[in-house]
Amino acid sequence: LSAERMKRMRNLFILPVITMLVVVGAMPIGHDEAKKQSHITFHVKPGHLDQTHEISLDHIKCQFSFRAAHAAHGEEWDMLLVKEGGHGGKYTCTIKDLDQDPPHATFLGFSAHMFGAENDHLESYDIWNHEGALLEGDDFIIEGNTLRSDTHWRLSGLSKVILACT
């Protein structure tokens, strides 16, 4: 065989192998469904009355309501609602302060809800201020699908709330 013909045969063999490696490498490993998500950002501003922000995904709605004071620069906050898994999967809503620098807004009261949760019940929750995670009894209450400040909320610097449900 001529050198030119050998080169063409080699290219005919190598090209499909490279194509197969690229296609197989681009395919996800396993059978996990892609995560679905919904996302917004908003600013916490003092001087307003109650403020409410919400996002929805499928039949689940995550809502965050609050009244704030002392947010001199209008902190930027983020709400992300993610569904993991297929039918009957878990929904997680993360509400967090993107502006970690002081001064931090003082929340005179807040509530976070997961409407559409199975049995109107949260599967799990976490809450943080800028010093760390809060423990049960740290001036917040869980009621069904709601995490809210209690009537004598006195912790400033709320930084993150996570709610999860199915």
Side-chain angles (χ1 to χ4, degrees), residues 28-43:
I29 298 173
H31 300 286
D32 292 339
E33 283 190 19
K35 289 182 181 180
K36 292 173 63 175
Q37 65 181 28
S38 181
H39 175 263
I40 65 166
T41 58
F42 60 92
H43 287 86

Side-chain angles (χ1 to χ4, degrees), residues 53-145:
H53 300 277
E54 61 187 42
I55 52 177
S56 297
L57 183 61
D58 299 331
H59 65 284
I60 299 292
K61 178 168 60 173
C62 179
Q63 183 182 78
F64 182 55
S65 299
F66 58 89
R67 184 174 291 179
H70 311 297
H73 57 280
E75 292 177 4
E76 185 175 20
W77 280 62
D78 182 77
M79 283 182 78
L80 176 65
L81 179 57
V82 176
K83 179 184 181 186
E84 296 182 37
H87 181 72
K90 180 179 177 179
Y91 292 86
T92 303
C93 182
T94 303
I95 306 157
K96 67 179 180 178
D97 179 4
L98 295 176
D99 181 7
Q100 297 297 314
D101 296 326
H104 301 293
T106 298
F107 287 85
L108 304 177
F110 72 91
S111 62
H113 312 270
M114 289 283 276
F115 297 109
E118 187 174 285
N119 299 320
D120 286 327
H121 183 75
L122 295 175
E123 187 175 296
S124 63
Y125 60 88
D126 284 303
I127 181 171
W128 285 265
N129 65 16
H130 288 282
E131 296 174 7
L134 301 181
L135 304 174
E136 234 175 287
D138 280 344
D139 293 337
F140 68 90
I141 298 170
I142 298 296
E143 296 174 324
N145 63 354

Side-chain angles (χ1 to χ4, degrees), residues 18-34:
I18 290 172
T19 303
M20 182 182 76
L21 290 173
V22 168
V23 169
V24 169
M27 292 173 58
I29 298 173
H31 300 286
D32 292 339
E33 283 190 19

